[in-house]
Amino acid sequence: MEQLKIHNTLSGNKELFKPINPGSVTMYVCGPTVYGEPHLGHARPAITFDLLFRYLKFLGYKVRYVRNITDVGHLLNDADEGGDKIGEKAKALHLEPMEVAHFYTKKYHSAMSKLNVTNPSIEPAASGHIIEQIGMIQKIINNGFGYEVNGSVYFDVVKYNKDHNYGVLSRRKIEDLIENSRELEGQLDKKNAVDFALWKKASPEHIMRWPSPWGDGFPGWHLECSTMSCKYLGDEFDIHGGGMDLVFPHHEAEIAQCCAANKKQGAKYWMHNNMITIGGQKMGKSLGNFITLSEFFKGTHNKLEKDYHPMVIRFFLLQAHYRSTIDFSNDALQAAEKGLVRLFNGIKTLNELFPKDRSTIDISSFKLKCDNAMNDDLNTPIVLSHLFDAVKVINSTKEGKHDLLAHDIEQLKELFHKYAITVFGLYDIHDDGESTNIEALMTLILDIRNDLKNNKDWATADKIRNGLIDLNIEIKDAKDGTNWNYKK
RNA sequence: GGUCGGAUGGCCGAGUGGCUAGGCAGUGGUCUGCAAAACCAUCUACACCGGUUCGAAUCCGGUUCCGACCUCCA
């Protein structure tokens, strides 16, 4: 079996994954800024890194997974005099900023739970780590890379770049950055246009504020991740993840802050998921073209033709590689829905297979193929393609076209359990927890219907069949009796 | 403008220098009281122009188009 390889943005290549401490993995992922409804864009990194989290655990690693909650308002931009998103929202709604943050944090958790995203090991909030952030700023100042102006503290990018590389991650050249920087009035305090805020002075009307050695203010928007990753995972840890849009400046700045404060670069592997597009354009809060997760679940957005089960969203995302953009459309989602049902009907059929005393088909290669695809930078679409090939084998066997030994059936069960359930985190969208009862009921109903058929009472037999279709259950008369499945 | 990435069949979406990705949709067949499902078979591809090669959709160069980042963003 191949070993796990992951794409590292630092090198731009797939690299063999080797944790710093054998047997355990430390991982940090940028979480949401909780000032708005969670949308499809939030689902992608959450699911991508949940997949990685699940897979690493499956491989036997002890994983500490930290995903933050940003509940300290980010600056709107440097020109804006201290406005921040959570604060703005709070003012508009006449709420405490923490009320806003708490409200959307709960919404985020609820959506993630529906998507079957595992809770991270630690979910620290930026607001709970103001003291640590001030401490880190102090270290950066002491090491000569931060300077205070009028109650704000900035990171001296130009000085830092003299003996470090500001651009290791994003491959940007500082000269280009300076050349392309916009002239903004808020930058007057800064030595260089490329410098970024570590601490920002709060204007009197700014409602989210904390005391600091430099006066009342709030932390800069790159700082929390550096601070909290170092606090919980150490100065050096294994994996840092997030969306591709965070590579610059957010993650570049994180690396600079860590190096400036601790002389260590932080994460060894940087992983970035690609964006979701809608009509070829990025879906995002700032573009106003996003669809919230709750709208997906309920089908209430005008771009949605119907509601989509959370598992359909999860499966849809796993059908694409995490580093590719994925284009949203109703057609694509409905195709995913049917595919997902086919996959789980295959698992159901697998459980109904009778072992024979010989195997007429070799199923041993499925596991290796799936493992190799998964180890190749989490190539979930390829894993799924192999699982669908296995579904084909299962269905053919059910048809009597193949025979399988009990051992082979067990192997297939393990394969599906490992990938579909444990690692991919999928479950049957029809599974409402009462399946045992339904199994028994269906056996009874089909038994009665069979008697009707034997009496050639087609009308009543069809009445049962049509009635079941209204209940989303499809029955199929086969040679060896009647099968049933949930409708696609 | 700078940096980077992409262009695959009706739709989504993998991948590789020569061998079927997969899902959805379509077509023909098997099965069937009818139906559906399933199974079997099958049709639509690799933006354009050059080059390398025995052979390229896959490598190289150019062209066109699209996107991302450079400003908060997942």
Side-chain angles (χ1 to χ4, degrees), chain A residues 186-214:
Chain A
Q187 295 183 336
L188 291 176
D189 285 346
K190 296 199 264 184
K191 282 195 208 166
N192 319 288
V194 284
D195 292 354
F196 55 87
L198 295 169
W199 185 263
K200 196 79 180 162
K201 181 183 182 173
S203 54
E205 64 275 17
H206 196 96
I207 54 178
M208 284 194 106
R209 56 200 298 146
W210 290 266
S212 82
W214 315 285

Short mmCIF file of all heavy atoms in Angstrom, two decimals, chain A residues 186-214:
data_model
loop_
_atom_site.label_atom_id
_atom_site.label_comp_id
_atom_site.label_asym_id
_atom_site.label_seq_id
_atom_site.Cartn_x
_atom_site.Cartn_y
_atom_site.Cartn_z
N GLY A 186 -6.12 54.95 5.93
CA GLY A 186 -5.80 54.26 7.17
C GLY A 186 -4.36 53.80 7.24
O GLY A 186 -3.88 53.36 8.27
N GLN A 187 -3.67 53.89 6.11
CA GLN A 187 -2.30 53.41 6.07
C GLN A 187 -1.29 54.47 6.49
O GLN A 187 -0.10 54.20 6.53
CB GLN A 187 -1.97 52.93 4.66
CG GLN A 187 -2.79 51.73 4.24
CD GLN A 187 -2.40 51.21 2.88
OE1 GLN A 187 -1.86 51.95 2.07
NE2 GLN A 187 -2.65 49.94 2.64
N LEU A 188 -1.78 55.66 6.79
CA LEU A 188 -0.86 56.75 7.11
C LEU A 188 0.04 56.40 8.29
O LEU A 188 1.20 56.81 8.33
CB LEU A 188 -1.66 58.04 7.42
CG LEU A 188 -2.37 58.64 6.20
CD1 LEU A 188 -3.20 59.84 6.62
CD2 LEU A 188 -1.36 59.03 5.12
N ASP A 189 -0.51 55.66 9.25
CA ASP A 189 0.27 55.30 10.42
C ASP A 189 1.37 54.29 10.12
O ASP A 189 2.33 54.17 10.84
CB ASP A 189 -0.66 54.68 11.48
CG ASP A 189 -1.51 55.75 12.16
OD1 ASP A 189 -1.19 56.94 12.01
OD2 ASP A 189 -2.49 55.37 12.82
N LYS A 190 1.18 53.54 9.07
CA LYS A 190 2.10 52.43 8.81
C LYS A 190 3.40 52.91 8.16
O LYS A 190 3.40 53.85 7.37
CB LYS A 190 1.44 51.41 7.88
CG LYS A 190 0.22 50.74 8.48
CD LYS A 190 -0.10 49.45 7.76
CE LYS A 190 -1.15 49.66 6.70
NZ LYS A 190 -1.54 48.39 6.06
N LYS A 191 4.47 52.23 8.49
CA LYS A 191 5.76 52.56 7.87
C LYS A 191 5.73 52.18 6.39
O LYS A 191 6.25 52.88 5.53
CB LYS A 191 6.88 51.77 8.54
CG LYS A 191 7.33 52.32 9.88
CD LYS A 191 8.67 51.68 10.22
CE LYS A 191 8.86 51.59 11.72
NZ LYS A 191 9.97 50.70 12.08
N ASN A 192 5.19 51.01 6.13
CA ASN A 192 5.13 50.52 4.75
C ASN A 192 3.71 50.10 4.44
O ASN A 192 3.00 49.60 5.31
CB ASN A 192 6.03 49.30 4.57
CG ASN A 192 7.35 49.45 5.29
OD1 ASN A 192 8.19 50.22 4.88
ND2 ASN A 192 7.49 48.73 6.40
N ALA A 193 3.34 50.25 3.18
CA ALA A 193 1.98 49.89 2.78
C ALA A 193 1.69 48.41 3.03
O ALA A 193 0.55 48.02 3.27
CB ALA A 193 1.76 50.22 1.31
N VAL A 194 2.73 47.58 2.99
CA VAL A 194 2.52 46.14 3.15
C VAL A 194 2.40 45.71 4.61
O VAL A 194 2.05 44.57 4.88
CB VAL A 194 3.65 45.32 2.48
CG1 VAL A 194 3.48 45.29 0.98
CG2 VAL A 194 5.01 45.85 2.88
N ASP A 195 2.72 46.60 5.54
CA ASP A 195 2.61 46.24 6.95
C ASP A 195 1.15 45.94 7.30
O ASP A 195 0.24 46.50 6.68
CB ASP A 195 3.12 47.38 7.83
CG ASP A 195 4.63 47.58 7.67
OD1 ASP A 195 5.26 46.76 6.99
OD2 ASP A 195 5.15 48.57 8.22
N PHE A 196 0.96 45.07 8.26
CA PHE A 196 -0.42 44.78 8.66
C PHE A 196 -0.57 44.96 10.17
O PHE A 196 0.41 44.94 10.93
CB PHE A 196 -0.85 43.37 8.23
CG PHE A 196 0.05 42.26 8.72
CD1 PHE A 196 -0.15 41.69 9.96
CD2 PHE A 196 1.08 41.79 7.91
CE1 PHE A 196 0.68 40.66 10.40
CE2 PHE A 196 1.92 40.76 8.35
CZ PHE A 196 1.71 40.20 9.60
N ALA A 197 -1.82 45.14 10.60
CA ALA A 197 -2.09 45.46 12.00
C ALA A 197 -2.00 44.23 12.89
O ALA A 197 -2.52 43.16 12.56
CB ALA A 197 -3.48 46.08 12.11
N LEU A 198 -1.33 44.39 14.01
CA LEU A 198 -1.33 43.36 15.06
C LEU A 198 -2.36 43.73 16.12
O LEU A 198 -3.01 42.88 16.71
CB LEU A 198 0.06 43.25 15.69
CG LEU A 198 1.18 42.77 14.77
CD1 LEU A 198 2.54 42.96 15.43
CD2 LEU A 198 0.97 41.31 14.39
N TRP A 199 -2.45 45.02 16.36
CA TRP A 199 -3.42 45.54 17.33
C TRP A 199 -3.93 46.85 16.77
O TRP A 199 -3.17 47.64 16.23
CB TRP A 199 -2.74 45.78 18.68
CG TRP A 199 -3.72 46.20 19.74
CD1 TRP A 199 -3.99 47.47 20.15
CD2 TRP A 199 -4.55 45.34 20.53
NE1 TRP A 199 -4.95 47.47 21.13
CE2 TRP A 199 -5.31 46.16 21.38
CE3 TRP A 199 -4.75 43.95 20.58
CZ2 TRP A 199 -6.24 45.65 22.29
CZ3 TRP A 199 -5.66 43.44 21.48
CH2 TRP A 199 -6.40 44.28 22.33
N LYS A 200 -5.23 47.04 16.87
CA LYS A 200 -5.83 48.22 16.27
C LYS A 200 -6.53 49.03 17.36
O LYS A 200 -7.31 48.49 18.14
CB LYS A 200 -6.84 47.76 15.22
CG LYS A 200 -7.27 48.82 14.25
CD LYS A 200 -6.26 49.07 13.16
CE LYS A 200 -6.81 50.15 12.24
NZ LYS A 200 -5.78 50.76 11.42
N LYS A 201 -6.21 50.31 17.41
CA LYS A 201 -6.86 51.18 18.38
C LYS A 201 -8.37 51.27 18.09
O LYS A 201 -8.77 51.37 16.93
CB LYS A 201 -6.25 52.58 18.28
CG LYS A 201 -6.83 53.57 19.24
CD LYS A 201 -6.22 54.94 19.01
CE LYS A 201 -6.78 55.93 20.03
NZ LYS A 201 -6.09 57.22 19.92
N ALA A 202 -9.16 51.21 19.14
CA ALA A 202 -10.62 51.29 18.95
C ALA A 202 -11.07 52.74 19.03
O ALA A 202 -10.72 53.45 19.98
CB ALA A 202 -11.33 50.46 20.02
N SER A 203 -11.82 53.16 18.05
CA SER A 203 -12.41 54.48 18.09
C SER A 203 -13.53 54.46 19.13
O SER A 203 -14.02 53.38 19.49
CB SER A 203 -12.94 54.85 16.71
OG SER A 203 -13.83 53.86 16.26
N PRO A 204 -13.94 55.65 19.62
CA PRO A 204 -14.93 55.68 20.71
C PRO A 204 -16.21 54.90 20.39
O PRO A 204 -16.77 54.26 21.27
CB PRO A 204 -15.24 57.17 20.86
CG PRO A 204 -14.04 57.87 20.30
CD PRO A 204 -13.49 56.99 19.23
N GLU A 205 -16.65 54.92 19.14
CA GLU A 205 -17.91 54.24 18.82
C GLU A 205 -17.73 52.74 18.58
O GLU A 205 -18.70 52.02 18.37
CB GLU A 205 -18.58 54.90 17.60
CG GLU A 205 -17.82 54.80 16.30
CD GLU A 205 -16.78 55.90 16.11
OE1 GLU A 205 -16.41 56.55 17.13
OE2 GLU A 205 -16.32 56.11 14.98
N HIS A 206 -16.49 52.29 18.60
CA HIS A 206 -16.23 50.88 18.37
C HIS A 206 -16.62 50.08 19.59
O HIS A 206 -16.10 50.30 20.69
CB HIS A 206 -14.74 50.69 18.07
CG HIS A 206 -14.43 49.38 17.45
ND1 HIS A 206 -14.32 49.21 16.09
CD2 HIS A 206 -14.25 48.17 18.01
CE1 HIS A 206 -14.07 47.94 15.85
NE2 HIS A 206 -14.03 47.29 16.98
N ILE A 207 -17.57 49.14 19.43
CA ILE A 207 -18.11 48.49 20.63
C ILE A 207 -17.37 47.22 21.05
O ILE A 207 -17.51 46.79 22.18
CB ILE A 207 -19.62 48.21 20.48
CG1 ILE A 207 -19.92 47.41 19.23
CG2 ILE A 207 -20.41 49.51 20.50
CD1 ILE A 207 -21.39 47.07 19.05
N MET A 208 -16.61 46.59 20.16
CA MET A 208 -15.82 45.44 20.60
C MET A 208 -14.42 45.93 20.93
O MET A 208 -13.66 46.28 20.03
CB MET A 208 -15.73 44.39 19.49
CG MET A 208 -17.00 43.59 19.31
SD MET A 208 -16.69 42.12 18.30
CE MET A 208 -16.73 40.83 19.52
N ARG A 209 -14.07 45.95 22.18
CA ARG A 209 -12.78 46.53 22.57
C ARG A 209 -12.25 45.90 23.85
O ARG A 209 -13.01 45.43 24.69
CB ARG A 209 -12.94 48.04 22.75
CG ARG A 209 -14.04 48.39 23.76
CD ARG A 209 -14.53 49.81 23.60
NE ARG A 209 -13.48 50.79 23.82
CZ ARG A 209 -13.42 51.94 23.14
NH1 ARG A 209 -14.32 52.24 22.23
NH2 ARG A 209 -12.45 52.79 23.39
N TRP A 210 -10.95 45.85 23.94
CA TRP A 210 -10.30 45.28 25.11
C TRP A 210 -9.14 46.19 25.52
O TRP A 210 -8.52 46.82 24.64
CB TRP A 210 -9.75 43.89 24.78
CG TRP A 210 -10.80 42.85 24.57
CD1 TRP A 210 -11.29 42.00 25.52
CD2 TRP A 210 -11.50 42.54 23.35
NE1 TRP A 210 -12.26 41.17 24.97
CE2 TRP A 210 -12.40 41.49 23.63
CE3 TRP A 210 -11.48 43.05 22.05
CZ2 TRP A 210 -13.24 40.93 22.69
CZ3 TRP A 210 -12.31 42.50 21.10
CH2 TRP A 210 -13.20 41.45 21.42
N PRO A 211 -8.84 46.22 26.80
CA PRO A 211 -7.68 47.02 27.22
C PRO A 211 -6.38 46.33 26.84
O PRO A 211 -6.32 45.10 26.75
CB PRO A 211 -7.84 47.07 28.75
CG PRO A 211 -8.67 45.89 29.10
CD PRO A 211 -9.56 45.60 27.92
N SER A 212 -5.35 47.13 26.60
CA SER A 212 -4.05 46.57 26.24
C SER A 212 -2.97 47.57 26.66
O SER A 212 -3.30 48.70 27.02
CB SER A 212 -3.97 46.34 24.73
OG SER A 212 -3.64 47.55 24.07
N PRO A 213 -1.74 47.16 26.60
CA PRO A 213 -0.65 48.11 26.93
C PRO A 213 -0.65 49.33 26.01
O PRO A 213 -0.04 50.33 26.33
CB PRO A 213 0.61 47.29 26.71
CG PRO A 213 0.18 45.86 26.81
CD PRO A 213 -1.23 45.82 26.32
N TRP A 214 -1.34 49.25 24.89
CA TRP A 214 -1.32 50.36 23.92
C TRP A 214 -2.65 51.12 23.92
O TRP A 214 -2.93 51.90 23.03
CB TRP A 214 -1.03 49.80 22.52
CG TRP A 214 0.09 48.82 22.57
CD1 TRP A 214 1.42 49.11 22.70
CD2 TRP A 214 -0.01 47.39 22.59
NE1 TRP A 214 2.15 47.95 22.81
CE2 TRP A 214 1.29 46.87 22.74
CE3 TRP A 214 -1.08 46.49 22.53
CZ2 TRP A 214 1.57 45.51 22.81
CZ3 TRP A 214 -0.81 45.13 22.60
CH2 TRP A 214 0.49 44.67 22.73
#
